[in-house]
Amino acid sequence: MSIHIQSRLGDYLYLAMGDCNGHKVVIAVGYTYGYADKKAKQFEEASQGTVKYIDISVAKSGDKEKCKTLKKLV
């Protein structure tokens, strides 16, 4: 699966999703996949196990529905 969507910066938002007490929550947002992934990993580490980083949802700026789900970087 390709992790890059060819577009201009700002066309898409990357929302890193996590699990917090059984609830799926946004733990990081970025204009690039790499930035959202990096910040989600920092959040997961800082939460000391309270939040588990799951994946990244991609949404076109201005839309209310996600268009794609990407796996986190290893």
Side-chain angles (χ1 to χ4, degrees):
M1 169 191 291
S2 173
I3 60 170
H4 300 288
I5 295 175
Q6 296 300 321
S7 65
R8 292 185 331 219
L9 188 63
D11 285 348
Y12 290 89
L13 293 175
Y14 297 83
L15 292 80
M17 306 303 290
D19 180 278
C20 181
N21 298 322
H23 297 279
K24 193 168 185 179
V25 297
V26 176
I27 59 174
V29 177
Y31 286 117
T32 66
Y33 175 84
Y35 184 79
D37 183 74
K38 172 184 156 185
K39 295 314 247 178
K41 288 175 180 171
Q42 289 174 353
F43 190 99
E44 182 180 45
E45 184 180 333
S47 76
Q48 298 177 340
T50 305
V51 177
K52 181 173 179 355
Y53 175 26
I54 302 170
D55 58 25
I56 293 184
S57 294
V58 182
K60 186 158 177 60
S61 294
D63 286 352
K64 294 182 180 181
E65 301 292 325
K66 74 177 177 180
C67 61
K68 193 172 194 176
T69 298
L70 306 173
K71 295 182 181 192
K72 66 181 183 177
L73 292 172
V74 178

